[in-house]
Amino acid sequence: MTSARPLDVLDKAKGKRIILRLKNGSEVTGVLQAFDLHLNIWLEDAEERKDDKVVKLGSVLLRGDTIIFASPATE
Amino acid sequence: MTSARPLDVLDKAKGKRIILRLKNGSEVTGVLQAFDLHLNIWLEDAEERKDDKVVKLGSVLLRGDTIIFASPATE
Amino acid sequence: MTSARPLDVLDKAKGKRIILRLKNGSEVTGVLQAFDLHLNIWLEDAEERKDDKVVKLGSVLLRGDTIIFASPATE
Amino acid sequence: MTSARPLDVLDKAKGKRIILRLKNGSEVTGVLQAFDLHLNIWLEDAEERKDDKVVKLGSVLLRGDTIIFASPATE
Amino acid sequence: MTSARPLDVLDKAKGKRIILRLKNGSEVTGVLQAFDLHLNIWLEDAEERKDDKVVKLGSVLLRGDTIIFASPATE
Amino acid sequence: MTSARPLDVLDKAKGKRIILRLKNGSEVTGVLQAFDLHLNIWLEDAEERKDDKVVKLGSVLLRGDTIIFASPATE
Amino acid sequence: MTSARPLDVLDKAKGKRIILRLKNGSEVTGVLQAFDLHLNIWLEDAEERKDDKVVKLGSVLLRGDTIIFASPATE
């Protein structure tokens, strides 16, 4: 276990749907395409939920410093 | 897929209209001219929407640290 | 004692449940899988508590800059 | 287009009037003298507008991290 | 005096109780185990006080960027 | 003009009175002694104005990241 | 004057009382022992004033990024 790194959890989620909680209080879900060490994240088929409102985003690049956490969607 | 990087999604959007959500709650749309690793973004023919108010900006350089996400406009 | 580093306290907590207090006021608990120098943290079996509301998160990667403190759960 | 950089839009605006939107909600306009990679910006003949109040600033150096966007004034 | 560094005050407090004031307004006290240049701090036997409420934390790692000041408890 | 740098405007203001607008909404004026690349600024004979209240500061070192802009006082 | 650096004003204040204004609105005074380039500051015989309330701190290490300005106390 000692050699695991925290971002490994996202490696395993590539091509799958993940949930992002943002610092502004909204949630964005989408299919993970790519991410980098800053936690910049590219999602496809994304949508944003905030206060029960849902907005379709399609392709989206999220800036890492706006993210609180990223969680692979449970299957 | 392993070699994709998150900013690749913007490479494909050059010369096309994209939508930016900013940390102050406003949205800016425009035609993507250039961007860098900090997500500084140059748009042409840009306009800003906030609380149903629209302001024409023309050419604009957005500082990367004000951006929550960037999304290519759906065609 | 002089050679101890603050993150050593997390090394000893790997595989055990820890509690994270986040800057947005919520608490996340989960089993510590991995962390890095930025305090990015990967938890399994995680859940979030905020204002008496509990949300199951499962696997989650928390961005280090959202964390106030991390504390191994008392046994 | 691939070799353009976002700050090129400011290079073309040197000696001309630009508009800056600041994170505190105010707008500053002035004649662009110089800028750097942090988006620190030196303006001459500058003025600040906030809530319909206008303040003459003359020469001013704006710190880059207070800027949301910079836009060359339309002619 | 010229060669003293500000973090020396914490070196002398190792193994003793210190008080931390956090940016969210709470105070954490505990026995100092280790700290680093970012002011990440590991405390044992810690407790948090906020608005007259006290919470036992036990072992805790505080992220340096949440700290306003650290003060050795007076004896 | 191409070789000018934004901080040059402060070089010309050394020994003269400048006005600083701070992120907390206050203004500080004083005679510029020295500054660095982070915009840390040393003023003499300084005073702070906030909400029509004036406080004499004398010598003062302002941390660069608290500054919105610096402007040489008009003569 | 060209070779002066802004932190020189603190060099001259070592062993003397200084006043710090913090980003959370409080003021801390104390005898300056040491400081570094980040403006981390070690004070002795320190006290904090906020909204007319005074708290004795004794020895204290202040994290540089919480400081708006530092000013040698007038004699």
Side-chain angles (χ1 to χ4, degrees), chain A residues 21 23 38 64 68-71, chain C residues 42 48 57 59 61 63 65:
Chain A
R21 176 76 58 82
K23 288 181 184 167
H38 306 290
I68 295 177
F69 62 70
S71 179
Chain C
W42 167 15
E48 180 192 28
L57 300 176
S59 289
L61 168 66
R63 204 172 190 268
D65 74 335

Side-chain angles (χ1 to χ4, degrees), chain D residues 14-15 22 24 32-36 40-42 44 48 57 59-63 65-66, chain F residues 1-2 4-10 12 21 23 38-39 64-65 67-72:
Chain D
K14 274 185 180 168
L22 304 189
N24 69 356
L32 179 60
Q33 303 301 307
F35 66 92
D36 62 21
N40 296 318
I41 290 180
W42 167 14
E44 288 293 332
E48 181 192 28
L57 300 175
S59 289
V60 69
L61 169 66
L62 290 121
R63 204 172 191 269
D65 75 333
T66 68
Chain F
M1 181 179 294
T2 50
R5 292 164 306 170
L7 274 60
D8 291 349
V9 68
L10 287 189
K12 298 188 298 186
R21 175 78 56 82
K23 289 182 183 166
H38 306 291
L39 228 49
D65 75 334
I67 293 171
I68 295 177
F69 62 71
S71 178

Side-chain angles (χ1 to χ4, degrees), chain G residues 19-70:
Chain G
I19 301 168
L20 303 176
R21 175 78 56 82
L22 305 190
K23 288 181 183 167
N24 70 355
S26 68
E27 264 185 26
V28 175
T29 68
V31 179
L32 179 59
Q33 302 302 306
F35 65 92
D36 62 23
L37 291 176
H38 306 289
L39 228 50
N40 296 317
I41 290 180
W42 166 15
L43 301 177
E44 288 292 333
D45 191 23
E47 59 184 45
E48 180 193 28
R49 294 158 198 250
K50 191 173 183 179
D51 308 328
D52 298 317
K53 217 177 62 179
V54 176
V55 181
K56 296 273 183 195
L57 299 175
S59 289
V60 69
L61 168 66
L62 290 121
R63 203 171 191 269
D65 75 334
T66 68
I67 293 170
I68 295 177
F69 61 71

